[in-house]
Amino acid sequence: MAVRKILIVDDSPTDRQFFMETLSKQGYQCVTAESGDEAIIKSKSEKPDLILMDVVMPGTNGFQATRAITRDETDRVWGMRQGAKDYLMKPIDAKELLAKVAAINK
């Protein structure tokens, strides 16, 4: 999998800017989050290929945010191992829903 979009999570504006400038110059699309809670939301909406996560942040720290983000993937893997044909996460995207139903019908 090629990395194209990177979510940068850091409560330090200076560090976020450094990462963003460095990576953008190399052609990566960068999205930022200032907190663990924002990272959880943006990981779902932006679907980054890579997340650079600061650990020490107020509120939800990097470890907690990482567990929350990967829990969704763990649930998906568990569901598939139980025999599920596919997996959707809420909020449901209509195009994704229809594509998955069509794929199962093939």
Side-chain angles (χ1 to χ4, degrees):
M1 173 183 84
V3 174
R4 293 188 181 95
K5 185 188 286 189
I6 301 173
L7 173 57
I8 300 161
V9 185
D10 203 307
D11 60 324
S12 165
T14 304
D15 290 344
R16 280 194 316 273
Q17 188 65 30
F18 167 78
F19 283 120
M20 194 160 164
E21 286 178 10
T22 302
L23 295 166
S24 294
K25 286 178 185 175
Q26 296 301 311
Y28 295 104
Q29 179 186 357
C30 297
V31 181
T32 63
E34 298 178 17
S35 69
D37 289 328
E38 186 179 2
I40 294 166
I41 293 166
K42 286 200 173 176
S43 72
K44 292 177 184 177
S45 66
E46 296 290 337
K47 300 188 183 347
D49 302 309
L50 175 68
I51 300 174
L52 299 177
M53 180 78 72
D54 185 15
V55 172
V56 180
M57 295 183 288
T60 301
N61 67 40
F63 291 129
Q64 294 165 324
T66 299
R67 279 193 295 275
I69 290 166
T70 59
R71 180 175 41 238
D72 289 337
E73 184 63 23
T74 301
D75 289 347
R76 177 172 143 40
V77 170
W78 185 85
M80 299 300 280
R81 285 186 179 163
Q82 300 309 305
K85 301 294 183 203
D86 213 325
Y87 191 92
L88 285 169
M89 289 178 42
K90 293 180 181 179
I92 303 296
D93 175 77
K95 288 181 184 176
E96 184 181 11
L97 169 64
L98 295 173
K100 287 185 182 279
V101 170
I104 290 171
N105 281 329
K106 288 184 180 180

